[in-house]
Amino acid sequence: MEDNKLVKFYRVDSGKAGPRVLLTAGVHGDEYEPMLAAMQLVNEVPGLLKSGSVTIVPLTNETAYVNGIRYGEDGLDLARICPGKSDGTITERVASEISALIKESDYFIDMHTGGPAFEIYPLAGYVLHPSPEILEKQQEMALAFNLPLVWGTDYRPDGRTLSVARDANIPAIYLEFGGGTGFRMQVVNAYKTGFMRLLNYLNMLNGPAGSDSFVDKYWIEDHRQDSGYLQGKMPSPVDGIFVAEVKIGDKIKAGELFGKVVESFSGKQIDMYADIDGLVFLLRAMVKVKPGDALGGILPIGSLNERVIYE
Ligand SMILES: [Zn+2]
């Protein structure tokens, strides 16, 4: 463990040549299951590794974690200000350090949840990288992780950990699963199992990584601008109370009721309808909403185990 820096990490080195894999949790300070998965992997990866090295950052943005919120104590979202500044505010310096770790890795995985505000269907995501070689590696990483949704999105947004990886031509994926109040051990388990599968795919493990069975997956690649921007989906028209009429993972058709917002003070009820057919993959978990807050998201899925592409 290295502790003269803001970003503390653990490095498991097999002592043999091989890929350098970086795994991060806690880029957002209020997404707890990835932190626990990372801490457990720190203990479980040694002994299983036959080649390469694994660097694990269980708590990337420590001041955000200490305050139990998404943002660092300077109010900045680490996932919007990468690559940061080495002489900047605390979150900017964290961004600078994590960006350096990303650039010295060969593969990068960033674990998230929906935080307190959202619940998210289990997914492995990547940017639709302009380089076909990088894109193919990212697709393979996301599929290897074995979550039921694989989602490629617009590569252009900057400020993310994944945009640092994009610019450095380092294959990278991010993970989303769960969120809302309470702790979900199934998220920890899915992330740990998925990570072992990924190491196995990279031929870095002694022995097999548990079960060989693959889950059926929906796979979407959406090249449209800001396709991966969760906070922009289905904005609330008013300030009020959100009552969902769907659950995460539901299939919904255009025109069906998604939920309603009961406007503050007036009590006026505004029904929100699905605008497309698809899978409810994002759902507001925090009941109180302000105008513009995302209420949820629908992905236009195709058939299972078949890639659908939107240009
Ligand atoms: Zn997050």
Side-chain angles (χ1 to χ4, degrees):
M1 174 138 178
E2 179 102 15
D3 53 17
N4 58 345
K5 301 223 164 171
L6 292 171
V7 176
K8 299 179 181 74
F9 61 84
Y10 298 84
R11 184 159 290 160
V12 183
D13 198 329
S14 69
K16 304 222 170 62
R20 296 165 300 172
V21 175
L22 174 65
L23 178 70
T24 55
V27 163
H28 292 128
D30 54 1
E31 300 175 5
Y32 303 106
E33 290 88 346
M35 299 171 190
L36 196 62
M39 288 185 260
Q40 293 186 359
L41 285 165
V42 167
N43 294 318
E44 293 171 20
V45 171
L48 299 174
L49 209 60
K50 76 171 178 196
S51 65
S53 68
V54 175
T55 301
I56 299 176
V57 185
L59 254 182
T60 306
N61 198 355
E62 194 177 319
T63 70
Y65 168 75
V66 165
N67 291 313
I69 56 174
R70 179 178 176 88
Y71 307 114
E73 65 184 14
D74 51 11
L76 295 177
D77 183 343
L78 176 54
R80 295 293 178 273
I81 58 155
C82 286
K85 289 183 213 159
S86 59
D87 60 349
T89 66
I90 182 108
T91 305
E92 288 173 325
R93 283 187 284 145
V94 168
S96 171
E97 287 186 20
I98 201 68
S99 298
L101 285 176
I102 292 167
K103 287 181 206 161
E104 67 184 45
S105 66
D106 299 313
Y107 296 92
F108 171 50
I109 303 98
D110 191 10
M111 298 185 283
H112 291 257
T113 74
F118 297 101
E119 189 183 352
I120 305 183
Y121 193 73
L123 71 91
Y126 53 89
V127 302
L128 293 161
H129 202 286
S131 152
E133 295 79 31
I134 306 288
L135 177 59
E136 189 181 350
K137 282 191 179 155
Q138 296 186 153
Q139 290 164 334
E140 288 175 2
M141 290 169 75
L143 291 167
F145 222 92
N146 205 32
L147 295 173
L149 177 62
V150 171
W151 192 29
T153 54
D154 183 10
Y155 71 91
R156 289 165 290 189
D158 289 324
R160 276 72 169 174
T161 54
L162 256 63
S163 52
V164 173
R166 173 200 67 200
D167 293 345
N169 286 321
I170 290 157
I173 60 171
Y174 70 98
L175 310 170
E176 299 278 4
F177 185 1
T181 55
F183 190 88
R184 297 167 197 233
M185 197 53 79
Q186 78 234 50
V187 177
V188 176
N189 294 335
Y191 282 2
K192 283 171 56 186
T193 306
F195 186 65
M196 289 300 184
R197 282 178 172 271
L198 182 58
L199 294 184
N200 196 44
Y201 155 74
L202 295 172
N203 198 24
M204 292 171 68
L205 285 186
N206 290 311
S211 149
D212 288 334
S213 63
F214 271 80
V215 300
D216 288 325
K217 296 174 184 68
Y218 295 110
W219 185 6
I220 296 170
E221 291 193 339
D222 190 340
H223 293 260
R224 293 171 292 188
Q225 189 167 7
D226 289 325
S227 53
Y229 182 54
L230 298 180
Q231 287 81 3
K233 304 212 182 280
M234 202 183 286
S236 176
V238 294
D239 186 288
I241 294 166
F242 175 57
V243 182
E245 294 288 341
V246 293
K247 295 188 305 298
I248 205 80
D250 280 355
K251 312 274 169 40
I252 192 168
K253 290 201 165 358
E256 289 179 354
L257 188 62
F258 189 91
K260 51 203 173 201
V261 184
V262 181
E263 190 179 31
S264 303
F265 308 110
S266 77
K268 192 175 131 199
Q269 180 178 307
I270 297 157
D271 291 334
M272 303 296 296
Y273 296 97
D275 54 354
I276 55 169
D277 293 3
L279 174 84
V280 177
F281 83 106
L282 174 74
L283 189 60
R284 178 111 192 149
M286 205 175 268
V287 169
K288 173 65 177 55
V289 293
K290 293 195 185 75
D293 282 348
L295 301 178
I298 301 166
L299 279 185
I301 48 172
S303 305
L304 278 166
N305 306 316
E306 192 178 87
R307 181 170 50 150
V308 192
I309 300 175
Y310 297 91
E311 298 293 345

